[in-house]
Amino acid sequence: MHGGGIFCALAKAFDCVNHEIVLGKLHFFGIQGISVDWFKSFSTNRRQKVEVNLPSATQNVFSDWGTLKHEVPLRSIPGPLLFIIHIKDFPMRINDISEPILFADDTSLIISSRNFEDICSVSNLVLFHMIKCFAANNLVLNLDKLNIMKLKTKNSEHSTLHTGYKKSI
């Protein structure tokens, strides 16, 4: 048996969560009524402004208030939950060929096969689907934090895992 792991993170994941996409997915997953109303009030009409402290100025400078259309608060209790809902349909697309493990904005996938060549082709296919799914949800895979690992037992023969997205491992 041969195995492989794909370990990745998203770039600015919590800043890119589209409120309308999340609300649509809540409805898709059957969350309705007062529950979806609560999420809607939590995530919509959020406003922020920026304060700039200039050392040479006697007073700080403030931007105008702006409404956030993309973002869930990282350090809130519902923030990570809303993010997971945002990418919840991700495993549905690829769990026939891998085992996805989602934890907030970190995603890991385990791939196994009796044939090593299948591990290489499935790894590339999974990466293709990941990038496509993340793009459909306005998310970007952070290629600097992408790691692909070949998993083997002590008695396995040496082989190199080739992918089109990162150096071979």
Side-chain angles (χ1 to χ4, degrees):
M1 186 60 97
H2 297 274
I6 300 173
F7 307 93
C8 59
L10 297 165
K12 308 244 182 232
F14 284 80
D15 296 337
C16 299
V17 174
N18 182 297
H19 300 161
E20 292 302 317
I21 291 175
V22 171
L23 291 172
K25 289 184 181 191
L26 287 170
H27 186 337
F28 174 79
F29 290 121
I31 300 171
Q32 299 175 10
I34 196 166
S35 297
V36 81
D37 291 344
W38 185 89
F39 280 111
K40 187 174 184 176
S41 72
F42 176 80
S43 63
T44 56
N45 296 321
R46 296 183 67 84
R47 296 169 42 96
Q48 76 175 17
K49 69 178 177 176
V50 177
E51 177 182 6
V52 178
N53 182 358
L54 299 171
S56 60
T58 58
Q59 209 170 4
N60 293 347
V61 178
F62 292 90
S63 69
D64 293 332
W65 283 98
T67 302
L68 301 174
K69 296 179 181 171
H70 303 270
E71 184 263 343
V72 292
L74 176 60
R75 290 179 175 79
S76 67
I77 290 173
L81 174 63
L82 289 171
F83 181 79
I84 290 292
I85 290 168
H86 186 64
I87 63 169
K88 178 68 176 144
D89 58 349
F90 167 71
M92 292 178 198
R93 296 174 188 236
I94 62 167
N95 63 2
D96 287 341
I97 56 175
S98 68
E99 183 180 334
I101 302 163
L102 304 175
F103 181 77
D105 61 336
D106 294 319
T107 302
S108 301
L109 298 112
I110 305 301
I111 301 162
S112 63
S113 176
R114 296 202 182 283
N115 181 334
F116 182 72
E117 287 75 29
D118 289 345
I119 296 294
C120 296
S121 61
V122 169
S123 294
N124 280 306
L125 185 61
V126 166
L127 284 168
F128 171 78
H129 283 298
M130 285 172 57
I131 291 169
K132 186 176 173 184
C133 181
F134 289 149
N137 286 293
N138 296 325
L139 299 169
V140 176
L141 186 62
N142 185 342
L143 294 177
D144 291 335
K145 293 185 176 181
L146 174 68
N147 288 294
I148 302 167
M149 181 184 303
K150 180 184 142 210
L151 308 172
K152 68 177 198 159
T153 62
K154 187 166 61 170
N155 297 329
S156 299
E157 61 186 63
H158 176 72
S159 51
T160 304
L161 178 60
H162 295 282
T163 65
Y165 293 93
K166 187 129 174 149
K167 64 182 179 182
S168 298
I169 299 176

